[in-house]
Amino acid sequence: MEDTNNDALLEAFWVRARNAAGIYPLEAVLGQDEQMSLRPPVFSFGDSVELADRLCQLVIDGKKTATSSWRDMYSHEGAELPEVGELSIVCDGAGRPRVLLRLTAVETVRFAHAGPEIAAAEGEGTFEEWREAHDAFFRRECEEAGIEFDPNGDIVVEHFEALYSL
């Protein structure tokens, strides 16, 4: 059952963000993409309240312009890979909507070959810190999903722009 207070917050955020970003529902009626009128998917970064808060703030501050996910999680969850132009709403650790994102690029890279440019775009510290934190995160995520972690596996790197933030 969806929390009606949270749903009201999301709807209010979506209306403000859509207007601020120049995305108008009328465009959908006139033949534009349906994502212009339907509320985009909602998510939080990380796997803890603290991490979600920290990463969300990095996006708001303009220091985080990319994120990466373990490639096998998409097929495990029956999800399609993200596509350029998709919108999403990022929430903080308390589930409050804070940022409207638009994907600007999507690439698949072997985790073992991911370079410092990805770490820099993710804005989470040095390349070594990024590698260590993501290795631990991907291992936890794979273990919870019952997927074998392979350090030579692929990651999906999503580059984005913040269209609106609170």
Side-chain angles (χ1 to χ4, degrees):
M1 179 147 91
E2 195 165 312
D3 180 342
T4 55
N5 186 37
N6 192 34
D7 193 48
L9 284 174
L10 284 168
E11 283 304 318
F13 176 86
W14 175 228
V15 169
R16 286 190 311 272
R18 191 175 59 210
N19 289 333
I23 301 169
Y24 302 105
L26 185 55
E27 293 173 347
V29 174
L30 299 175
Q32 297 294 318
D33 193 305
E34 73 177 19
Q35 90 180 168
M36 297 301 179
S37 62
L38 299 176
R39 186 176 73 205
V42 178
F43 75 97
S44 295
F45 289 110
D47 60 354
S48 70
V49 169
E50 296 79 14
L51 188 55
D53 282 342
R54 186 170 71 82
L55 298 179
C56 183
Q57 192 61 52
L58 286 173
V59 173
I60 292 168
D61 293 343
K63 296 177 182 176
K64 181 174 181 60
T65 60
T67 191
S68 54
S69 307
W70 194 251
R71 169 65 179 91
D72 288 346
M73 289 303 292
Y74 288 93
S75 53
H76 175 75
E77 295 173 353
E80 299 290 323
L81 289 178
E83 294 183 14
V84 170
E86 289 181 349
L87 300 173
S88 58
I89 296 173
V90 178
C91 293
D92 62 18
R96 292 181 301 256
R98 299 291 312 276
V99 186
L100 175 65
L101 299 181
R102 181 189 317 261
L103 289 182
T104 58
V106 179
E107 59 182 319
T108 301
V109 179
R110 291 239 179 259
F111 181 52
H113 298 149
E117 69 283 352
I118 294 172
E122 290 207 33
E124 300 172 40
T126 67
F127 175 61
E128 292 75 21
E129 291 168 333
W130 176 87
R131 168 92 52 205
E132 184 178 310
H134 281 72
D135 183 273
F137 177 79
F138 293 145
R139 286 179 188 274
R140 282 193 312 272
E141 184 178 50
C142 287
E143 183 177 332
E144 288 172 14
I147 297 172
E148 183 177 337
F149 176 80
D150 176 0
N152 290 312
D154 291 337
I155 59 173
V156 177
V157 182
E158 301 173 53
H159 299 269
F160 51 78
E161 62 182 338
L163 299 178
Y164 175 78
S165 64
L166 290 177

